[in-house]
Amino acid sequence: MSQNNWHILPQPTEKTVRQLTTKLNIDPLTATVVAQKGFITPEAAYQYLQPSIDQLHDPMLLHDMDKAFERLTEAAFGGEKIVVYGDYDLDGMTSTAVMVEALEVLGADVTAYIPDRFKDGYGPNIDVYKRLIAEGAQIIVTVDNGVSGHEAVAYAMSQGVDVIITDHHEMPPTLPEAYAIVHPRHPDGHYPFDDLSGVGVAFKVAQALLTDGQSITDKSELPTEMLDLVALGEIADMVSLTDENRTLVSWGLKQINDNPRPGLVALLKNAGQMVNQPIISETVSFKIAPRLNAVGRLGDAQLALDLLLSQDSDEATEIASQIEAINAQRQEFVEEVFGAAKQIALSDKHANDQVLVVAGENWHQGILGIVASRLVELLHRPVIVLSLIDGIYKGSGRTYNNFDLYQLMGQYRSFYDTFGGHASALGLAISPENLSALREQLAVLPTLDVPEISVAVNMMLPVSKMAIPVYEGLTLLEPFGTGNVQPTFGVQEPTIEKAVTMGATNQHLKLTLANQIEAVGFNHPEWTTIVAHPANISFVATMGLNYFRGKKRLQLLLTDVSMPPIVENDAHKKFFGHVYKFIYAHQDLNFAQNLDKIAEQLNITKNDLNIMVQVFIELGFVKVIDGGFVKVIPNAPQKTLTTSKTYHKFLANR
């Protein structure tokens, strides 16, 4: 990206920075960032930096909370059989755990049911409800789902089984006729904060149940032992870390650091977390959430719930090992499906799609959301990835920037078998016939207002001004996430002492700067050309720490890189042209089965040949069919090699 897309945030006055620095005893850089977030008085800044009980809202203000509180209290004390019906992502798992633990404290007869993504789908499933009711369920409490479950909820209510919905997802035009619907954005509600996640709503129910619906004045009156679960679910679901979410997540992370559950200890050990390494929001996003979400993506999420609820270290270690293996398998599936989906996405057929719908057959349903996210990052437009399974296309959509994809796709509800989600992410199921009709509708959309992302930069900062104490000052602003973004700093053409690629396919970049500070960039092969010419490079990065062999070092995480334009190399052009001519003349040859022989004949390495074929695929010159035959696409429009991100990776290996 060009520096033209960088937006340097306005700088606060010297008086404001000096006042915050003096009154709050923080360093000037931290004070500057705090002021840039809008907290310009010492009082406002203190409230931001020190979350407190005053920032939490009364749970009884939530719509139908009075009805839910009374019914669940009655059921708990009366020995009625309660089933908590959850969801298979981390927000759903933690919501389930919180609700179960709260009801158990009351002595309730409670069990949990986590739907199977593949058998049950998302949200209330009428067949499952029938089975649960046949097994004796007298109350069903949904967590992180329910507002779209009309049929199942109606059935349960008709059988005399009260359904209490606790949810945070976008509401459909009509709501189920449930006993109670606890939702921060209910149209008839007046809750002061509307961006709780599923576990946030579940915690507010738990708070009401365990404080007998009374207001509180001290943190100790809260069920603090559940706040770690709240932190996990809210960070994973990327809700706004402002208002009461900031307080709940701050306290939850502190609890994980001070007194982690056995399951989290085992999970983090497998993730390479050092004993002395603090657990921050980034730890949840990159180490904890992907592993626990992998379980629900590939199989039965009950395993992850068991880990969260386990109080036995040996049991937790065993479960964590199983989860680590599942996560490794998930990574393999992602790479396989992403490669196939990327080939479709980059074809000329979809070059002008404003909302890209990529469909394949028998792609693993559980990782389609991840693939959609990676395609969004690559193509800078909303993407929906679908897989044909048993005659129905099922999949996930992800938006770009702040475009409301849920609202757009919600116009076509009549086409879908199922549909749900929120502004930035959605899930749907659709028949092949209706998919064709949907594509026709999307093809004639008027021009959508999908703005290009600009990179917000707090300030330009030389490498000489970066150090561990500077980073530690910024940690006062944690937890970082949606609504409370981590500070970013622009670095103008620093001296790069060393540049190398990392990863199995050299898709990552590591720069060594002055003072042995490292800057790393993940999954951006187009940046790896810096290795060949590490000069005149500027970048935007966040600060962090790298823990290695018990020592910590300052490390920068690259968020954007600006570098001189790559000029197409005539020698490379001839080189690629030679390989293209070979492909043209040998379209009846299975490349996958003869890669070694072909590479030897062309006098290149097998790795280079693989990359070159990927470049041709990305540019729309060829396609791979029938398990390895490379076919030339007739009349493909001309494109320069430098427009291919994979070509940049090729250059990095020269």
Side-chain angles (χ1 to χ4, degrees), residues 149 299 484 540:
N484 186 46
V540 177

Side-chain angles (χ1 to χ4, degrees), residues 14-31:
E14 288 185 19
K15 179 181 177 182
T16 297
V17 173
R18 185 169 60 252
Q19 191 177 33
L20 294 179
T21 301
T22 304
K23 296 282 187 180
L24 300 176
N25 193 28
I26 57 179
D27 68 66
L29 184 72
T30 303

Side-chain angles (χ1 to χ4, degrees), residues 212-284:
D212 199 27
Q214 302 300 306
S215 59
I216 60 173
T217 58
D218 189 80
K219 178 184 175 183
S220 62
E221 298 174 64
L222 287 172
T224 53
E225 68 278 5
M226 301 174 191
L227 286 172
D228 56 345
L229 298 171
V230 178
L232 297 182
E234 296 229 309
I235 292 170
D237 224 49
M238 295 189 291
V239 292
S240 173
L241 296 187
T242 58
D243 205 276
E244 68 178 335
N245 280 349
R246 177 168 170 80
T247 300
L248 294 172
V249 172
S250 295
W251 289 348
L253 287 172
K254 185 176 188 308
Q255 181 164 332
I256 297 174
N257 279 283
D258 294 346
N259 187 27
R261 293 170 182 251
L264 293 181
V265 172
L267 195 78
L268 286 169
K269 183 178 180 181
N270 288 341
Q273 182 84 357
M274 300 294 180
V275 175
N276 64 333
Q277 190 172 355
I279 296 158
I280 56 177
S281 53
E282 184 181 86
T283 317
V284 176

Side-chain angles (χ1 to χ4, degrees), residues 285-433:
S285 297
F286 292 101
K287 291 183 178 179
I288 298 175
R291 285 169 167 79
L292 292 175
N293 276 329
V295 182
R297 291 184 184 282
L298 268 59
D300 186 356
Q302 182 67 41
L303 186 69
L305 179 63
D306 291 343
L307 182 80
L308 292 174
L309 294 175
S310 176
Q311 295 299 319
D312 181 86
S313 296
D314 292 337
E315 177 190 51
T317 299
E318 171 59 30
I319 297 174
S321 296
Q322 295 178 51
I323 290 175
E324 193 69 16
I326 292 170
N327 186 53
Q329 189 179 31
R330 186 268 306 172
Q331 292 171 322
E332 293 177 8
F333 286 151
V334 168
E335 292 306 320
E336 178 185 339
V337 175
F338 177 67
K342 176 182 171 185
Q343 182 176 340
I344 296 170
L346 294 172
S347 67
D348 288 340
K349 179 181 178 182
H350 297 289
N352 298 316
D353 292 359
Q354 295 189 85
V355 176
L356 177 65
V357 180
V358 178
E361 290 190 30
N362 294 315
W363 290 345
H364 199 290
Q365 187 183 338
I367 49 84
L368 299 183
I370 300 174
V371 173
S373 294
R374 288 183 60 175
L375 288 175
V376 167
E377 187 176 344
L378 178 69
L379 301 168
H380 293 187
R381 50 184 152 149
V383 175
I384 297 171
V385 179
L386 303 170
S387 177
L388 184 63
I389 300 172
D390 297 330
I392 294 290
Y393 281 103
K394 297 180 180 180
S396 298
R398 297 292 184 269
T399 197
Y400 178 69
N401 205 352
N402 57 3
F403 178 76
D404 193 333
L405 182 61
Y406 179 87
Q407 183 181 40
L408 173 71
M409 301 307 295
Q411 300 176 73
Y412 311 109
R413 288 177 186 272
S414 61
F415 289 145
Y416 311 132
D417 289 26
T418 61
F419 179 76
H422 45 79
S424 59
L426 54 82
L428 61 86
I430 188 170
S431 68
E433 299 77 19

Side-chain angles (χ1 to χ4, degrees), residues 24-138:
L24 300 176
N25 193 28
I26 57 179
D27 68 66
L29 184 72
T30 303
T32 299
V33 175
V34 168
Q36 287 175 321
K37 289 179 178 291
F39 307 103
I40 58 175
T41 67
E43 294 76 20
Y46 181 81
Q47 284 191 332
Y48 165 69
L49 294 172
Q50 297 292 331
S52 72
I53 197 75
D54 297 333
Q55 296 166 19
L56 300 186
H57 305 299
D58 183 353
M60 301 309 293
L61 295 175
L62 281 160
H63 181 267
D64 276 354
M65 180 63 89
D66 54 344
K67 294 175 68 177
F69 165 71
E70 290 173 7
R71 186 69 184 92
L72 288 173
T73 302
E74 175 189 34
F77 295 154
E80 293 181 72
K81 185 174 177 59
I82 304 171
V83 176
V84 177
Y85 191 95
D87 187 31
Y88 39 71
D89 70 0
L90 185 51
D91 192 28
M93 297 169 200
T94 51
S95 303
T96 306
V98 163
M99 192 68 74
V100 167
E101 288 189 349
L103 289 167
E104 285 179 341
V105 171
L106 294 182
D109 178 4
V110 58
T111 57
Y113 185 85
I114 301 283
D116 185 295
R117 179 191 293 264
F118 310 105
K119 298 175 184 175
D120 305 328
Y122 169 76
N125 178 297
I126 189 167
D127 293 330
V128 176
Y129 270 41
K130 287 179 178 178
R131 186 170 73 249
L132 294 173
I133 292 168
E135 293 170 353
Q138 294 168 280

